[in-house]
Amino acid sequence: MHVVHTTQADGLPRLELNDFFESLTQLSAANTLEALTAQCRAHSEALGFDSFVYALRLPTQLSQARLVMLDGYPSGWVSHYFAQSFAASDPVMSWCTKHVVPVRWSELRIAPGSQGERMMLEAGDFGLRDGVSMPLHGPHGELGILSIAINRPTAAADAITQRALPFVQMLASHLHEAVRRVAGLHEAQQTVSLTPRESECLRWTADGKTSADIALLLGTSENTVNFHLKNAIQKLEASNRQHAVARAMLKGLIQPQPF
């Protein structure tokens, strides 16, 4: 894979949005996660960064989600991160769950002496001294996060991270779509199909309505409502109505109206 990578007189990568955008089209041709990892590494290096990680959390279950990762971080950091349960205190993770725009790590508000500060300091020991992270919230509840890191003094890192923001945003969006495709998410999300009535009954159930309530709202009988809910439960392989609602929401089969 070829990514244009030239430098300016100040030593910073020469960044051209049009050229970078064109290079991203190569992600659509990748057929394996390994190929996507290699391409993401090349793009990150072209932006002046040393390493990267992309993580996609798929809400298959509330108790234990599926995780797809492209790990281009220094050896040992990801395993250390999970062994120390840093996800619960990670200031980058906290930002990404609540926002839709990229953030420079140097701009995160981290309380002195906190577990979050400890995590960032230990990340620095692994060569992750500064970076940029971009959250991506997918159409079916998935959360993707692209983080690209740099191991340089503050002044040099600041210049690179600031210039890279729009490029990271483009890279993350294209990478997110490519990972969803390669991981087979497009096909997996089509395995269950609810009828309009089944979806409607589940939405009202999610709002705390009983079968009798739903029957009045829809102008039908209580038996008919129970019929639709029973069918939905069977299709979703759920144990009861509440479980069916949770599974339907995780799969993106029901959502607030309108649109």
Side-chain angles (χ1 to χ4, degrees):
M1 195 200 100
H2 176 65
V3 178
V4 176
H5 186 183
T6 59
T7 57
Q8 303 179 138
D10 58 8
L12 294 177
R14 184 185 300 279
L15 305 178
E16 297 292 343
L17 278 171
N18 288 338
D19 292 341
F20 192 76
F21 177 80
E22 286 297 323
S23 71
L24 292 178
T25 61
Q26 298 172 66
L27 291 170
S28 64
N31 293 316
T32 66
L33 294 178
E34 290 76 17
L36 288 176
T37 299
Q39 291 188 24
C40 190
R41 178 177 292 108
H43 282 98
S44 299
E45 291 175 353
L47 293 174
F49 291 83
D50 303 309
S51 59
F52 79 94
V53 71
Y54 171 81
L56 177 61
R57 185 187 68 195
L58 305 166
T60 51
Q61 299 182 77
L62 290 173
S63 57
Q64 185 64 51
R66 177 186 170 193
L67 187 64
V68 178
M69 292 191 69
L70 306 182
D71 183 9
Y73 265 173
S75 177
W77 170 249
V78 171
S79 58
H80 178 70
Y81 179 93
F82 285 112
Q84 297 297 315
S85 300
F86 278 146
S89 56
D90 183 352
V92 172
M93 179 67 71
S94 179
W95 168 276
C96 289
T97 57
K98 301 171 186 173
H99 299 83
V100 295
V101 293
V103 63
R104 298 165 63 198
W105 298 355
S106 58
E107 295 178 341
L108 292 167
R109 295 182 179 179
I110 305 173
S114 66
Q115 185 75 346
E117 183 184 52
R118 176 199 159 198
M119 191 220 79
M120 296 302 286
L121 289 173
E122 291 189 18
D125 293 338
F126 277 80
L128 308 172
R129 296 171 64 180
D130 203 350
V132 177
S133 292
M134 173 66 198
L136 300 111
H137 300 270
H140 298 286
E142 66 266 24
L143 170 64
I145 301 175
L146 172 64
S147 292
I148 56 177
I150 189 168
N151 186 21
R152 298 196 189 186
T154 301
D158 280 347
I160 291 175
T161 57
Q162 179 62 34
R163 286 161 52 88
L165 286 174
F167 298 89
V168 174
Q169 196 161 9
M170 282 198 301
L171 172 59
S173 297
H174 284 76
L175 183 63
H176 181 72
E177 186 63 19
V179 170
R180 292 182 77 249
R181 173 179 54 80
V182 172
L185 302 187
H186 295 289
E187 294 80 6
Q189 285 157 359
Q190 303 302 319
T191 57
V192 178
S193 177
L194 299 176
T195 67
R197 272 301 199 208
E198 289 164 358
S199 298
E200 198 168 20
C201 289
L202 282 177
R203 283 198 299 272
W204 284 118
T205 300
D207 284 339
K209 303 298 184 183
T210 65
S211 292
D213 295 331
I214 299 171
L216 287 173
L217 288 163
L218 301 184
T220 189
S221 70
E222 190 171 341
N223 284 339
T224 298
V225 171
N226 289 334
F227 170 78
H228 290 308
L229 287 173
K230 181 180 179 180
N231 285 343
I233 291 170
Q234 290 176 341
K235 287 181 178 181
L236 291 162
E237 299 180 345
S239 56
N240 52 47
R241 295 183 181 190
Q242 290 71 30
H243 190 200
V245 166
R247 288 184 63 83
M249 293 181 70
L250 286 173
K251 291 177 176 291
L253 296 174
I254 60 172
Q255 50 195 324
Q257 297 296 298
F259 58 81

